Structure formats: structure tokens, C-alpha cells
Amino acid sequence: MTRPPVRADDRVQDVLARDAALVDVFVRHSSHFDKLRNAVLRRVMARLVTVEQAARVAGVPADALVRALNDALGIAAVEPNAPVDRAREGAATRPAGRREVELDLRETLRAGKEPFSRIMSAVGALRDDEVLHLRAIFEPAPLYAVLAKRGLVHETQRHAPDDWSVWFWRGAPAPADSGSERPAATPIDERWLDVRGLEPPEPMQRTLAALESLPAGETLVQVNVRVPQFLLPILAERGFDYQIDESQPDRVLVHIRRRAPHAVSPSPIPETP
Amino acid sequence: MPAPDLRTATGAILPAAEHFGAALLFLLAGAVGLVWVAPELASGNFLAPRVAGVTHLFTLGWLTTTIFGALHQLLPVALSAPVRWPRVGHASIAAFAPGVALFAAGVATNGAVLHHAGIALVTTGVVLSIANFGATLARAPKRDLTWWAVALALGALASTLLLGVALLHNLHTGFLAEARLRLLAIHLHVALVGWALLVIVGMSQRLLPMFLLAHGVDARWGRRAVALLAAGTIVLALGLALRVRWLAWTGTAMLDGGVVAFLVQARAFYRHRVRRKLDAGMRFAATALVFLAAAATLGPVVLATAPARPRIASAYLLAGLLGGIVLYVVGHFYKIVPFLAWVARYRDRMGRESVPTVADLYSARVATVQWGVMTAGVGALVAGTLAGHAHCARVGALLFAAGTSMLAAQGARIALGIHRPSA
């Protein structure tokens, strides 16, 4: 039986699932791919990134990487498939007059740390009248498609080979197949804040900061790995109601919104029928 | 789902702080006492009264007090179960802390009045704590590994107390005769493995992923560790009590298996951590795991050679207690205490204005020096004891005391809110 070749638009996770030893092929092309040896980062990043996007991030030719992966699998050379530039999805020119929130990840990336959770936290807290200004040491191409699914458009500017600016802002509504974390039919008055990659007390701090600017009637959905026991009494003190959803094994959702003015004591948000 | 009870984690800060403050004083006293008894340890004289007194400053004073304090804070977080009677927590420490001081002084000086008063207060504190935490566990909505580990550990604590009372009675009557040494060995293992290590293993299933950001790691080795350590303690105790050698060896093998399972589990958490650089707390914990492995290696040697080689038994105790358990708890002290102080101090300001970070509350540089000094201290103590070299053991004890002083200074800095903002 003929095995299908690796293609530029295959997810890195799917490629590695075919043969874990292909990590070595990636690493031979660029030391950037050393991170794939870390099981946690592999689980987080490899499922989001295509081979073509990974090659762009690492600054290596995608067709050479695809060819080397196929060679390692013993698959004869194939015609490169037409590049699927999902990364460019959602590119635009940033709107004027919005408040800019800067997230500088350059030192984090140079230190070899994983920035995804910080990015998603910042995105979760991003208001409609704000623009997130991301600074990175390479073009964060895989993010474009991920954030496009959350309804964010972007503009990219390269200052130097290791200095990039990307601005993200809420633009066109999210497509129907929006990301796996956020339900497809997310109500428009909900904001999501994923704090799973943060060490206490950062989840509490970021949640409370996001709540400070939460308009009445809107709900902040905190995505956590556990029930945030230290946060709950503070929410009650500050006049927020909450509802905890532990129905999924790998995460806890805390739906938070301002208490109605007539309410006199802290109470959970009424259960959705 | 119903709203959680609001008498949860933040309400438990005060009892936890009371316990941690008292524990730190006991650690300091124990470290000073260690310098005093180091030559006796190096000569293998672990039965000397003052060695027993100093040992209780670590086991009851530092470990048990810290664990009680940590349970006040962690049970609501780990098991979604607010501590049943918060006021009992205050009453418990009010009886337990002076009790430990009197008891340790009484044992060290052979003062009958002191240790009788001490054991009465210690018993009061322990019984109140067991009742409080037991009632808390009974109301926990889920019974996972952490629940079972804490429940089994509370049983071991009660057993430790009973065995301790029997040993104390023996000091006056000698009724145990030649069984004294075996009962002492059972008392030590039920206390250190059944109580302290079981709590550590159970809580580590929650704390290590949280502190290392290593979520989604397979937890099966942790379950094996809890099962082997709990069962191994009982089997070893039966083997020693009944003088059935194969049973004692089986128990030892199970305990070593439990330690290995815990090390495998902890290694998995460390390997899967997102943040590669270890902070002070997690560095202490990693070092403690190495000492725990050393103690597990010495365990079978002690069983094979006892009572002919008392220095090996002393070194085993030092590696396991000071290196494996005390340093592990010191590491978690660095994670838990600054966090509690930070929440207590900045809860009204967080999210509204810029506040210092938790790491700003203590000096990372001092913590690093302290880690080096305490690790070297335990290493020198173990090596000096194995070699029978009193000077080496005393130098080790001095280093350990110096490190403990640094921890006390850090604790004072955290409590007083003296901090230097990070750059």
C-alpha cells in the first residue's frame, strides 16, 4: 500500500504521529525545533502549526523540510502542494484611535519559554476598543489562524530579522467553526480568559484585572484547571456573581458577571436550563 | 451546580499563618539543637535523650505544625472542602505549639514534669486537628488520591501518638525491655513515612503540577506510591513488632517501592514542566527527592545491620528526615507562605492597581544561598555520621543552622511586608 506523502499543510502533530523520530529531521533543519522534544510544548504547539508555518517561523525553506520529512519516511519525492497560506488569513490594516495593549514576548522567547498561555490570556482580556500589540523575535505565523478563529484580524510589521510587531484586534465576527476552547455559538456578551498556563496567583490577578473593565451585563469566562478557591470570596466581595462548570475533565469554567443592582448577597449565576 | 461555600481558602489564611510562624521557630530551635547533638549523631548514639528531644523539634515542631497549617490552606483548594471548624484550628495550635516546646525540652533533659505536660498538650492539639481534618474529609465532595493519602496519614498520626505515649511511659517503667528499639523503629516509620511522607505524596499530586505548570501528567505512579507507602508501613511495623524477619523485609521492600514510585511521579512532573528554570521552592523540593532516594537506599542496609551499626541508622534518619522531608517542606514553604502573605496583603488592590509580585516578597538570592548551605549541611551531616567524624557532622549542623536562619529572615521579611520591587 502506498503511504501518502507529508505535505506542507499537514499539522506537525500529525506528521510526528506517523513517526516520532521525525523530530530529528525537524531539529536538523533548525535548532528552533528543539522545543518539539519537550512533550508539553509538543502537545501545545504541534497541534496548532502546519509544517509550512513551522518552517516559516524557523526561517527554513518549507519545501526542503517537506522533502526531508518524506525522505526520512522513505516516500518518493512528490510535487509540492500549492502553499496554503492560512497564516495570511485575516491580514488587514489596524484601525486608528484604539487603545494599544502591548505584550512583549521577546525576552520570553529568547529564554526558550512557552508564550502561548500569556498570549491567550491577553487575547481573552482584549476589549473591543483595544488593539493587542505583540512583540516577538520571529513572525508568529501560527497564531494568525488560531486568533482568526476567535474573530481577531492582524497587521504584521518586521523591524529586524529578530524583531517583529503584530497587532491583533477584534474585527469580523468569528467564523462558525471557531476554536475548540470556545464554543462555536459563543454569546457576544462573553469574554474568555484562559489562565491554565499560569502559576498562582497570576490567574487571580489577571481575572480581577479583566473584571475591572467588564461592562455590566457581560460575562467573563475564566478557563482554569481547578476551581479557583482563593478567587471566589474576592469575587463575592467585589460584587460579582459566578457559576462554576466542572462538567469537563480537563478544565473548569468559571462564568463571572457583575451582580444585579437589586441583589443584596453574593449568589451564583442562575443555572442555564 | 451549587455555589461553593465561601468559608474557603482565604478564610483559612490566619490559622495557616499561625501554624507556619510557630513551625519556623521550631525549625530554628531544632537547627540550634542539631549543632548541640551532632557529635552524638556521629557516634551513632541516636538513643540519647537530647537527640530524641531535638528530633521532636523537627518532627512535631516543624513537620507536623507545617503540615497542619498547610492542610488548613490546601484542603479547600485540593478537595473543595473548607476546613470544618476554623476555630478548632486556632485552639489546636494554641495547645500543640507550647506542648511541643515543653515535650521536646522534657525529653531532652529527662524532665518528667515537662514531658508529661508537653505530651498532654500535644495530644490535645493532635486530637483536635485529627477531628477537624477528619470531619473536613468526611464532607469533601470527591475522594481522590489526595483524599486517601491525607486520610491514611491522619490514621498514621494517631498511631504515632499512641506509640509515642508507650515509649514515654517506658522511660519511667522500662516495661518494653528489649522491645524498646523495635517499637522506636515502628514509631519513627509510622511518623515519617505513614504521616509525613504520605501527606507529602498526596499533596504533591496537586501541588507539583500547580507549581511546575505540569498539567495532564499521568498520575498512576502517585497512586502506586500512596498504596505502597501505606501498606509498607503497616507490613514493616508488623514485621518488627512480631519479630518476623521476612515480613520486615517485605515491608522495607514495599517502602522502597513506594519511594521509587513517588520519585518516578515527581520526575514526570519536573520533566513536563512548562517553565524550565526552577524557582527556589522547587529547587529545594528536587534536592529533597535526591536525599529521599539516598534514605531509601540506606533503609535495607539499616535493617540488615541493626543494631550493630548505629551510625548507619543515624545517617538513614538524617538523610530521610532532614534531607528528604524537612527540605521538601522548606521548598513548599517558599511556595505557600509568600502566596498567603501576598493574598492577605493585596487582596483589595489586586487587579485594580499595580502590586508587587509574590516573588518580590522574599529574596531569590538569599533563597539560593540558603539552598546551597542547607544542602551542603545535610550532606556533611550524613557523611560525618557515616564516617563517625564528629567535626564534619558539627560543620554540617552549623551550615544547616545558617540556612535555617536565612529562612527565618525570609519569613520575617514576608511577614513584615518588606519587599524590593522586581526590575
Side-chain angles (χ1 to χ4, degrees):
Chain A
M1 195 176 98
T2 312
R3 288 190 297 169
V6 173
R7 293 186 175 276
D9 59 342
D10 286 348
R11 303 250 166 222
V12 172
Q13 183 186 46
D14 299 334
V15 174
L16 294 178
R18 296 172 69 161
D19 186 350
L22 291 175
V23 168
D24 295 331
V25 178
F26 280 98
V27 175
R28 267 204 306 278
H29 275 75
S30 168
S31 59
H32 258 97
F33 294 127
D34 265 340
K35 295 181 181 66
L36 289 174
R37 296 193 193 280
N38 179 309
V40 172
L41 292 186
R42 192 164 63 233
R43 215 166 34 240
V44 173
M45 300 306 291
R47 71 185 166 90
L48 302 172
V49 183
T50 65
V51 174
E52 189 263 339
Q53 289 169 336
R56 177 146 27 111
V57 167
V60 299
D63 55 347
L65 181 58
V66 170
R67 199 163 40 246
L69 290 166
N70 281 313
D71 286 349
L73 288 170
I75 296 172
V78 291
E79 285 298 308
N81 50 332
V84 182
D85 200 355
R86 289 197 180 104
R88 296 297 171 195
E89 207 173 274
T93 304
R94 65 184 185 277
R98 292 196 184 188
R99 195 168 77 88
E100 196 168 291
V101 179
E102 184 168 310
L103 180 60
D104 191 342
L105 297 170
R106 288 174 295 180
E107 288 311 309
T108 305
L109 292 165
R110 285 193 187 101
K113 294 177 186 169
E114 191 275 309
F116 190 68
S117 56
R118 286 185 63 195
I119 296 169
M120 298 318 284
S121 297
V123 166
L126 192 69
R127 291 162 41 152
D128 291 346
D129 58 349
E130 291 175 338
V131 176
L132 176 64
H133 179 192
L134 203 78
R135 300 293 298 269
I137 56 172
F138 52 78
E139 185 181 10
L143 267 184
Y144 300 158
V146 174
L147 297 188
K149 287 180 179 175
R150 296 192 170 213
L152 271 75
V153 288
H154 70 271
E155 180 189 346
T156 305
Q157 192 177 332
R158 178 185 163 178
H159 309 294
D162 64 347
D163 188 4
W164 293 73
S165 279
V166 187
W167 292 268
F168 291 98
W169 66 94
R170 297 194 192 284
D177 65 336
S178 58
S180 56
E181 297 298 345
R182 190 171 183 160
T186 304
I188 55 169
D189 62 350
E190 266 188 12
R191 292 178 185 191
W192 281 51
L193 181 63
D194 190 341
V195 296
R196 285 177 294 181
L198 303 174
E199 185 183 347
E202 264 196 274
M204 178 160 58
Q205 256 184 308
R206 292 192 185 205
T207 303
L208 292 171
L211 287 172
E212 283 299 302
S213 57
L214 187 75
E218 284 199 16
T219 300
L220 180 75
V221 183
Q222 189 209 53
V223 187
N224 208 324
V225 290
R226 68 189 79 83
V227 175
Q229 297 285 355
F230 277 85
L231 175 66
L232 301 181
I234 300 176
L235 291 179
E237 284 170 15
R238 294 192 182 186
F240 291 96
D241 290 336
Y242 54 83
Q243 182 189 344
I244 298 167
D245 174 4
E246 290 183 273
S247 59
Q248 295 179 56
D250 60 338
R251 64 181 188 178
V252 172
L253 300 181
V254 187
H255 297 256
I256 310 164
R257 70 173 181 221
R258 286 189 193 283
R259 194 177 305 145
H262 59 273
V264 290
S265 60
S267 62
I269 296 171
E271 298 232 22
T272 313
Chain B
M1 65 169 280
D5 191 330
L6 290 183
R7 289 177 301 119
T8 52
T10 51
I13 287 179
L14 184 58
E18 289 168 350
H19 283 79
F20 289 132
L24 202 47
L25 293 176
F26 284 123
L27 183 64
L28 263 179
V32 172
L34 199 59
V35 178
W36 183 38
V37 302
E40 274 165 312
L41 287 169
S43 66
N45 187 14
F46 59 82
L47 291 175
R50 54 186 188 173
V51 172
V54 171
T55 303
H56 282 96
L57 288 173
F58 288 111
T59 52
L60 286 175
W62 170 243
L63 292 177
T64 303
T65 311
T66 308
I67 291 173
F68 283 167
L71 289 179
H72 272 98
Q73 190 233 332
L74 296 176
L75 285 183
V77 176
L79 301 177
S80 300
V83 170
R84 182 69 180 88
W85 301 296
R87 284 183 188 172
V88 172
H90 299 293
S92 164
I93 187 66
F96 186 75
V100 172
L102 292 173
F103 180 71
V107 170
T109 59
N110 274 325
V113 175
L114 283 178
H115 59 57
H116 278 122
I119 197 68
L121 289 168
V122 165
T123 303
T124 306
V126 168
V127 168
L128 287 174
S129 290
I130 290 176
N132 201 9
F133 295 132
T136 305
L137 291 179
R139 288 157 58 105
K142 54 189 171 187
R143 299 192 173 185
D144 59 5
L145 181 68
T146 302
W147 189 96
W148 280 105
V150 175
L152 289 165
L154 289 175
L157 178 62
S159 307
T160 303
L161 185 64
L162 291 174
L163 291 164
V165 170
L167 284 164
L168 190 63
H169 187 55
N170 179 68
L171 282 181
H172 306 291
T173 61
F175 78 104
L176 288 171
E178 50 79 39
R180 179 195 174 199
L181 204 57
R182 286 182 285 121
L183 199 70
L184 180 64
I186 295 170
H187 174 67
L188 268 173
H189 283 88
V190 173
L192 296 184
V193 181
W195 164 234
L197 197 52
L198 262 187
V199 171
I200 283 174
V201 173
M203 296 311 291
S204 294
Q205 291 296 111
R206 299 301 188 107
L207 296 180
L208 288 183
M210 183 160 64
F211 295 147
L212 293 166
L213 298 178
H215 300 293
V217 176
D218 188 345
R220 276 177 296 186
W221 284 101
R223 287 198 285 275
R224 288 169 191 151
V226 168
L228 282 167
L229 290 172
T233 305
I234 296 168
V235 173
L236 176 66
L238 286 174
L240 291 173
L242 303 174
R243 303 184 73 172
V244 181
R245 202 149 178 79
W246 67 265
L247 207 54
W249 274 106
T250 305
T252 304
M254 291 170 79
L255 291 186
D256 270 9
V259 170
V260 169
F262 176 47
L263 295 176
V264 171
Q265 183 68 73
R267 180 172 171 267
F269 288 134
Y270 273 88
R271 279 176 61 109
H272 286 87
R273 70 188 190 274
V274 170
R275 188 181 302 141
R276 304 315 293 168
K277 190 179 176 192
L278 290 177
D279 59 25
M282 290 297 95
R283 209 162 40 227
F284 264 109
T287 306
L289 294 173
V290 175
F291 279 113
L292 202 57
T297 309
L298 283 173
V301 183
V302 174
L303 186 62
T305 60
R309 305 283 170 103
R311 289 209 312 271
I312 298 179
S314 297
Y316 166 67
L317 180 65
L318 286 168
L321 171 59
L322 290 187
I325 299 178
V326 169
L327 289 191
Y328 197 89
V329 174
V330 168
H332 283 74
F333 185 94
Y334 266 113
K335 303 298 294 187
I336 295 169
V337 172
F339 173 77
L340 289 180
W342 186 88
V343 171
R345 192 164 296 133
Y346 299 114
R347 60 177 293 148
D348 294 333
R349 290 165 55 191
M350 65 176 86
R352 291 174 169 155
E353 57 186 279
S354 176
V355 295
T357 66
V358 173
D360 287 335
L361 300 191
Y362 62 89
S363 162
R365 194 176 300 166
V366 171
T368 300
V369 174
Q370 182 209 339
W371 166 74
V373 167
M374 288 185 93
T375 303
V378 178
L381 260 167
V382 173
T385 301
L386 277 174
H389 199 293
H391 288 305
C392 181
R394 184 154 265 171
V395 168
L398 282 167
L399 286 171
F400 189 87
T404 304
S405 308
M406 291 179 203
L407 181 67
Q410 299 267 50
R413 175 179 164 150
I414 292 164
L416 297 173
I418 306 162
H419 64 83
R420 189 176 302 143
S422 52

